[in-house]
Amino acid sequence: MRYTKWIAVLLCFLGMTACRQDTHRFRIGVAQCSDDSWRHKMNDEILREAMFYDGVSVEIRSAGDDNRRQAEDVRYFMDKGVDLLIISANEAAPMTPIVEEAYQKGIPVILVDRKILSDKYTAYIGADNYEIGRAVGNYIASTLKGKGNVVELTGLGGSTPAMERHQGFMAAISNFPDIKLIDKADAAWERAPAEMAMDSILHRHPKIDAVYAHNDRIAPGAYQAAKKAGREKEMIFVGIDALPGKGNGLELVLDSVLDATFIYPTNGDKVLQLAVNILEAKPYPRETVMNTAVVDRTNAHVMQLQTTHISELDQKIETLNGRIGGYLSRVATQQVVLYGGLVILLLVAGLLVVVYNSLRSKNRLNKELSEQKRQLEEQRDKLEEQRDQLIQLSHQLEEATHAKLVFFTNISHDFRTPLTLVADPVEHLLADKALSDDQHRMLLLVQRNVNILLRLVNQILDFRKYENGKMEYTPVPVDILSSFEGWNESFLAAARKKHIHFSFDNIPDTDFRTLADVEKLERIYFNLLSNAFKFTPENGKVSVRLSSLTKEDNRWIRFTVSNTGSMISAEHIRNIFDRFYKIDMHHAGSGIGLALVKAFVELHGGAISVESDEKQGTVFTVDLPLRTCVDETSSLEDSPASSVSEVSPLNDALPVEEELEKNYDSSKPSVLIIDDNADIRSYVHGLLHTDYTVIEAVDGSEGIRKAMKYVPDLIISDVMMPGIDGIECCRRLKSELQTCHIPVILLTACSLDEQRIQGYDGGADSYISKPFSSQLLLARVRNLIDSHRRLKQFFGDGQTLAKEDVCDMDKDFVEKFKALIDAKMGDSGLNVEDLGKEMGLSRVQLYRKIKSLTNYSPNELLRIARLKKAASLLASSDMTVAEIGYEVGFSSPSYFAKCYKEQFGESPTDLLKRKR
């Protein structure tokens, strides 16, 4: 009887214990707005975190993006008597009443990811959608370099993330006036609506530079629509979520579908931790904001490795949970056996022992799981720290690359002058017939390497122009077939030297005439062929094939450059067009040649690709759209490529003078010499008196007086003089209408740049340092006078305006326009829009105003000014033709030479030869 009593007491105790174990301490209801991969990940994290809390049960219901259904889910949980609600509102306005009702009933409410239009909730946890929108806006503006057209595909219009992401994005791009949001569509967070919306947008907008998708399901839908239209490569795609796994944001970045995605953390574990803290009356924050970061091609691979590792750890946790479930199942079975084995006391005792051992195992496993959880959290924190370090390192690398490019650009400008001074003497020495063979060979070596250095310097400068968006594209009619045949002659010597079989094929009876920038096309062709000959061994083959094809009902021109004997691995092919990329240290080169080729090809609207294997070697394929004059017609009536006009010669008639100095001969050009040193005046007089009428002045005051009296064709003035110095004298002469057109040469014994800048600011046309070469002085005098006679007087004495009845305001307007052109002449990217902004007018208004006053378009006047300055530099400096072309704002020496010859009837090279 005693044993029966104790057994009964023990069984009642065990029964109460079992009931307590089966009874849930806290019941939590989760009302999700939709059923997608991001929600799945959050749900899994919530359920996994619940394993670590005894007596916590979680029930999750999904509304499938239906406001009515989600409201029913919330009411279901309220009727069931849950202890806490976790709600992610589908749309803010429809869900606000039901959330407020639950909160007023005393049920704690945690809002996750999405808010409502009320503050009646217990806590909110999620990312700052406004800041994510700002981050996306800044990223797109940085990637587009502050200029471009953007399309936004939003989530469900009434949801707070969609509204806040849009507001943050607009706040960011408002700092970039040239970033335009040209269209916006509601994609309801899903791929199919996004694809339909993007397809409609593509038909409405021919120019789209970036697509901002509110999540990574919208983004691939937009990409697929663009791909069907063949326009996916002309724009970037940015999404939000950065989830791992097939078809999610991280994989889309690695597959180059997305250019970037932003981490939008699920943090289901932190949601449940917050819920337990609320239920256990522990301190908790009312607002918990999660961090975000950009994931692009620079860190996507590392993120994939991290998420894969975390996923493996999650699977281990689930495995351990399964084992615990097994143990608990065994405990339940043993309890059933215990309750059914009242008859056999030993069995009951045995069962009690088993139960005891099972409880110990459970506690041990719980401790082990808690320790593993702690370790996992520490490891996750370390991974997040490593991720932040990698992101910071990526930014530092980007800044270092930019600094390197700036350094290369600056030092390249410094290299050009000494290289030019090396190249010209070498050419003169090579013309000496008395050189020995060794001397001639060494000079040829010097000349060849100087040309290589100049080419590398030009590549760096061109690449920086392209990156800064200032690369000039000047299409002209060109026959690609005849151009290629002419350029092929430059490689025949290399082919003979290495015994390479060089072949050039084209499709007969095909018209290869198109519009292209000849200088850039030449650079593309020369770079590809140079690389082919460089990496082809002796007795190898180099082939070029020119053909045509049709893409989407448009004709294209394709040419391939292939060579045998070299193979590029798939890993290197992916990066071969990146700047500064080199396959290995054994491959010589600067690393920007192919990057510049790709830039030039894309400037033509084309595409370049490369294939390589052991059998066929390496093949570069370039596709260029066939363009006719109609295709390139611009709304700009004064396009640089089509507004070359004739320039009338200068009216060099001088006013009739009533008084002349002794021996003054009006039949000769007159030159005024202003110098306080009598020897210098005598020396220069001796150089000039044969061909010119020379007038002398002993100081600046006398020089100004005689210049006003005789209006000479040219003035030569010393800088350092008592009283009015040469710089002030030049400034005064240039400020007078009667003398402002007279070219002034300043002589100085000082080589400081500051003094030269003052002189040029004062209007000097040329600067010669003492001691000077007599031949140099004569050449500059002759060419300055000749060039001023040929140029139109609009940029000199204002005769063009004098012919018309023009008011003082219009004269001031034209003078202001002239000063603006003079100030920004060296900027090759200067266009009519820039000039209009500076003058306070639109492009059309500026065009009409200048056309009515001068009968020239703004671009024609800019070209005349540049050619005038170039003619002055050719006549009065020792700079090369290419340097002068760059100096006055031409981006291509060949285009400069073409315009110069059309303007003056002879090429710059002919002028230099004649000057020598």
Side-chain angles (χ1 to χ4, degrees):
M1 186 72 181
R2 185 179 61 184
Y3 291 109
T4 304
K5 180 179 178 181
W6 282 107
I7 291 173
V9 172
L10 181 61
L11 289 175
C12 291
F13 175 78
L14 291 173
M16 288 188 295
T17 303
C19 291
R20 283 200 303 271
Q21 289 178 342
D22 293 335
T23 301
H24 296 295
R25 257 193 329 142
F26 300 119
R27 290 173 295 176
I28 299 175
V30 180
Q32 290 284 16
C33 59
S34 60
D35 187 18
D36 54 60
S37 56
W38 192 87
R39 303 288 169 185
H40 287 171
K41 189 171 184 296
M42 177 190 289
N43 295 340
D44 292 341
E45 292 171 348
I46 291 174
L47 295 174
R48 190 180 301 115
E49 185 67 17
M51 299 174 189
F52 300 103
Y53 298 95
D54 290 333
V56 175
S57 66
V58 178
E59 182 178 357
I60 301 175
R61 296 173 74 93
S62 176
D65 300 312
D66 188 335
N67 295 322
R68 182 188 57 79
R69 182 175 170 185
Q70 189 174 27
E72 292 175 356
D73 291 343
V74 174
R75 192 165 299 283
Y76 162 82
F77 286 128
M78 288 192 295
D79 295 339
K80 196 174 181 180
V82 295
D83 300 292
L84 183 142
L85 276 170
I86 298 174
I87 300 175
S88 179
N90 186 52
E91 290 185 283
M95 292 302 300
T96 297
I98 190 68
V99 174
E100 290 181 339
E101 180 181 348
Y103 180 80
Q104 290 170 351
K105 285 186 176 182
I107 301 174
V109 178
I110 298 177
L111 297 181
V112 179
D113 175 40
R114 305 183 183 185
K115 293 184 178 180
I116 60 173
L117 303 180
S118 169
D119 61 350
K120 292 182 179 181
Y121 58 87
T122 307
Y124 168 79
I125 183 170
D128 190 334
N129 286 287
Y130 182 86
E131 287 303 318
I132 289 179
R134 282 179 61 91
V136 173
N138 289 327
Y139 175 85
I140 290 177
S142 174
T143 303
L144 298 181
K145 296 182 175 60
K147 184 175 183 180
N149 296 331
V150 184
V151 168
E152 182 180 11
L153 299 178
T154 72
L156 196 61
S159 61
T160 56
M163 294 185 285
E164 292 172 355
R165 290 177 187 180
H166 171 73
Q167 293 168 359
F169 178 76
M170 295 305 297
I173 66 172
S174 66
N175 297 321
F176 301 89
D178 292 329
I179 296 293
K180 306 296 182 184
L181 180 62
I182 60 173
D183 212 332
K184 175 186 173 187
D186 188 336
W189 303 109
E190 295 298 331
R191 176 170 180 162
E195 186 172 350
M196 294 175 61
M198 187 63 186
D199 183 70
S200 176
I201 291 172
L202 289 169
H203 284 85
R204 293 196 299 271
H205 302 286
K207 176 64 176 174
I208 301 175
D209 300 298
V211 177
Y212 166 36
H214 277 201
N215 67 7
D216 290 340
R217 296 192 307 281
I218 295 175
Y223 177 88
Q224 188 62 31
K227 186 174 182 181
K228 288 180 180 179
R231 295 176 57 185
E232 76 282 5
K233 293 184 179 179
E234 68 184 47
M235 60 192 78
I236 64 172
F237 295 84
V238 180
I240 298 174
D241 282 349
L243 291 180
K246 184 172 181 60
N248 291 326
L250 188 57
E251 184 182 55
L252 293 175
V253 172
L254 291 170
D255 291 341
S256 298
V257 173
L258 299 184
D259 293 85
T261 181
F262 282 73
I263 296 175
Y264 192 65
T266 52
N267 289 314
D269 52 347
K270 291 190 177 355
V271 173
L272 193 73
Q273 291 171 12
L274 176 62
V276 173
N277 287 339
I278 294 173
L279 292 172
E280 292 180 349
K282 294 181 179 179
Y284 66 92
R286 191 167 191 267
E287 300 284 339
T288 303
V289 178
M290 304 300 178
N291 295 324
T292 185
V294 66
V295 176
D296 55 21
R297 294 185 183 91
T298 62
N299 60 359
H301 183 66
V302 175
M303 290 291 297
Q304 185 184 42
L305 294 176
Q306 294 175 347
T307 54
T308 301
H309 182 62
I310 293 173
S311 177
E312 292 174 354
L313 295 177
D314 290 342
Q315 291 177 359
K316 290 181 180 179
I317 292 175
E318 291 177 0
T319 302
L320 292 174
N321 180 65
R323 291 182 181 179
I324 293 175
Y327 288 132
L328 293 175
S329 177
R330 288 168 59 186
V331 170
T333 302
Q334 291 165 356
Q335 287 178 340
V336 171
V337 174
L338 177 65
Y339 297 146
L342 295 177
V343 180
I344 306 172
L345 183 58
L346 293 176
L347 180 59
V348 171
L351 288 174
L352 289 174
V353 172
V354 172
V355 170
Y356 175 75
N357 290 333
S358 298
L359 289 174
R360 288 189 60 186
S361 298
K362 176 184 176 183
N363 291 333
R364 184 175 66 254
L365 288 174
N366 282 336
K367 290 181 179 179
E368 291 177 356
L369 287 174
S370 298
E371 179 64 21
Q372 289 181 0
K373 176 187 174 184
R374 185 185 64 79
Q375 293 176 355
L376 287 173
E377 289 179 346
E378 291 177 354
Q379 192 169 9
R380 182 177 61 188
D381 293 339
K382 290 180 180 179
L383 289 174
E384 289 178 352
E385 184 179 356
Q386 292 175 356
R387 180 196 64 194
D388 295 338
Q389 291 174 351
L390 288 171
I391 293 173
Q392 184 179 4
L393 180 60
S394 173
H395 292 323
Q396 291 174 351
L397 287 174
E398 184 176 353
E399 292 173 358
T401 300
H402 177 72
K404 180 166 60 174
L405 281 173
V406 172
F407 169 77
F408 283 162
T409 303
N410 293 338
I411 200 170
S412 296
H413 280 289
D414 294 337
F415 281 162
R416 291 172 65 93
T417 298
L419 286 175
T420 302
L421 296 177
V422 173
D424 190 59
V426 168
E427 290 182 4
H428 283 287
L429 290 174
L430 283 171
D432 189 353
K433 303 299 183 181
L435 291 175
S436 65
D437 292 340
D438 289 339
Q439 292 172 332
H440 192 269
R441 184 170 61 256
M442 285 188 290
L443 285 174
L444 285 176
L445 178 63
V446 173
Q447 184 185 50
R448 182 165 62 253
N449 284 276
V450 167
N451 290 335
I452 291 173
L453 284 173
L454 279 172
R455 186 175 70 251
L456 293 176
V457 167
N458 289 334
Q459 282 185 350
I460 293 174
L461 296 178
D462 286 345
F463 194 78
R464 283 296 290 162
K465 282 185 180 180
Y466 177 78
E467 284 203 330
N468 293 332
K470 293 186 177 181
M471 176 64 70
E472 187 175 69
Y473 172 63
T474 310
V476 296
V478 59
D479 186 346
I480 291 184
L481 176 59
S482 61
S483 297
F484 280 12
E485 289 175 343
W487 295 336
N488 287 339
E489 296 178 0
S490 301
F491 296 90
L492 297 181
R496 287 194 296 268
K497 183 178 180 181
K498 295 181 67 174
H499 306 289
I500 293 174
H501 177 68
F502 176 42
S503 63
F504 177 79
D505 299 322
N506 64 281
I507 299 177
D509 301 326
T510 302
D511 186 6
F512 291 107
R513 291 176 296 178
T514 184
L515 284 175
D517 190 318
V518 179
E519 189 268 343
K520 293 176 179 60
L521 184 63
E522 180 182 6
R523 295 278 288 279
I524 294 169
Y525 192 71
F526 270 66
N527 198 303
L528 293 179
L529 264 187
S530 296
N531 284 341
F533 278 95
K534 181 192 301 182
F535 296 110
T536 302
E538 288 195 1
N539 300 314
K541 293 183 179 179
V542 174
S543 301
V544 178
R545 178 166 179 77
L546 183 62
S547 59
S548 64
L549 68 156
T550 302
K551 291 183 182 180
E552 299 178 353
D553 299 329
N554 294 320
R555 280 195 60 204
W556 289 64
I557 294 175
R558 167 176 290 178
F559 70 90
T560 60
V561 178
S562 60
N563 68 286
T564 61
S566 65
M567 194 196 89
I568 306 173
S569 66
E571 176 186 0
H572 294 308
I573 283 180
R574 286 196 298 269
N575 304 308
I576 197 169
F577 295 110
D578 294 345
R579 62 187 181 190
F580 302 122
Y581 182 80
K582 296 168 71 173
I583 294 176
D584 56 47
M585 296 306 296
H586 300 291
H587 285 74
S590 62
I592 64 171
L594 288 177
L596 194 59
V597 166
K598 185 173 184 292
F600 285 169
V601 171
E602 291 175 348
L603 204 60
H604 283 78
I608 184 171
S609 60
V610 58
E611 297 178 356
S612 187
D613 58 44
E614 293 181 351
K615 293 183 179 179
Q616 71 174 4
T618 301
V619 180
F620 284 85
T621 302
V622 177
D623 291 341
L624 299 175
L626 184 66
R627 291 175 174 170
T628 63
C629 294
V630 176
D631 298 330
E632 293 296 322
T633 299
S634 171
S635 61
L636 288 175
E637 301 159 304
D638 48 344
S639 171
S642 60
S643 57
V644 177
S645 63
E646 296 181 0
V647 180
S648 60
L650 284 172
N651 180 9
D652 58 356
L654 296 174
V656 178
E657 301 293 337
E658 298 178 357
E659 239 183 287
L660 294 175
E661 284 191 349
K662 187 179 180 181
N663 300 324
Y664 185 84
D665 186 356
S666 61
S667 64
K668 297 180 182 179
S670 57
V671 177
L672 172 61
I673 305 171
I674 307 173
D675 200 308
D676 61 323
N677 189 305
D679 292 334
I680 293 293
R681 294 200 308 274
S682 176
Y683 176 64
V684 177
H685 188 286
L687 293 174
L688 300 176
H689 78 279
T690 303
D691 299 316
Y692 305 94
T693 296
V694 181
I695 308 167
E696 297 183 22
V698 298
D699 56 32
S701 299
E702 184 180 355
I704 294 173
R705 181 173 55 81
K706 289 190 175 181
M708 298 290 290
K709 180 178 181 180
Y710 296 107
V711 192
D713 293 287
L714 184 136
I715 297 172
I716 300 173
S717 175
D718 187 22
V719 172
M720 303 301 295
M721 293 186 298
I724 299 176
D725 62 15
I727 295 175
E728 179 62 24
C729 178
C730 177
R731 183 178 292 108
R732 293 190 184 184
L733 289 171
K734 292 295 184 178
S735 64
E736 295 292 337
L737 180 62
Q738 190 173 356
T739 58
C740 64
H741 65 284
I742 303 174
V744 177
I745 298 176
L746 293 180
L747 303 178
T748 179
C750 180
S751 60
L752 293 177
D753 288 340
E754 290 81 357
Q755 190 187 75
R756 292 178 179 270
I757 292 171
Q758 291 178 358
Y760 285 124
D761 287 342
D765 297 89
S766 183
Y767 235 109
I768 298 180
S769 299
K770 296 178 183 179
F772 53 84
S773 166
S774 60
Q775 295 299 319
L776 175 61
L777 178 63
L778 289 172
R780 291 190 181 181
V781 169
R782 180 175 61 253
N783 284 292
L784 278 174
I785 292 177
D786 290 345
S787 63
H788 275 69
R789 283 177 174 170
R790 290 194 303 267
L791 290 177
K792 196 171 182 178
Q793 289 297 315
F794 169 69
F795 284 101
D797 56 13
Q799 291 300 312
T800 299
L801 291 179
K803 296 176 183 177
E804 304 289 343
D805 185 13
V806 181
C807 65
D808 291 339
M809 184 178 294
D810 281 339
K811 290 181 181 179
D812 293 340
F813 173 83
V814 175
E815 288 302 321
K816 181 181 177 183
F817 184 72
K818 170 186 176 294
L820 176 62
I821 290 178
D822 289 342
K824 296 195 173 185
M825 182 186 302
D827 183 3
S828 61
L830 184 64
N831 53 38
V832 179
E833 283 77 8
D834 296 334
L835 293 172
K837 289 179 181 178
E838 293 289 338
M839 298 295 294
L841 297 174
S842 68
R843 175 184 61 80
V844 176
Q845 289 173 332
L846 179 66
Y847 176 86
R848 291 174 177 171
K849 183 74 173 179
I850 295 295
K851 191 75 173 179
S852 65
L853 289 175
T854 68
N855 202 31
Y856 288 94
S857 69
N859 265 343
E860 288 174 324
L861 296 179
L862 176 59
R863 183 179 293 104
I864 292 170
R866 283 172 168 166
L867 292 174
K868 170 192 171 184
K869 184 66 174 178
S872 176
L873 291 174
L874 284 169
S876 58
S877 74
D878 53 0
M879 298 169 67
T880 65
V881 173
E883 286 178 327
I884 291 173
Y886 290 126
E887 180 71 19
V888 300
F890 285 90
S891 62
S892 166
S894 60
Y895 181 62
F896 163 62
K898 173 180 175 292
C899 293
Y900 190 94
K901 187 171 182 178
E902 290 177 352
Q903 190 73 40
F904 301 113
E906 62 177 347
S907 67
T909 305
D910 293 339
L911 177 60
L912 290 179
K913 290 179 180 178
R914 183 163 53 77
K915 185 176 74 172
R916 296 194 187 103

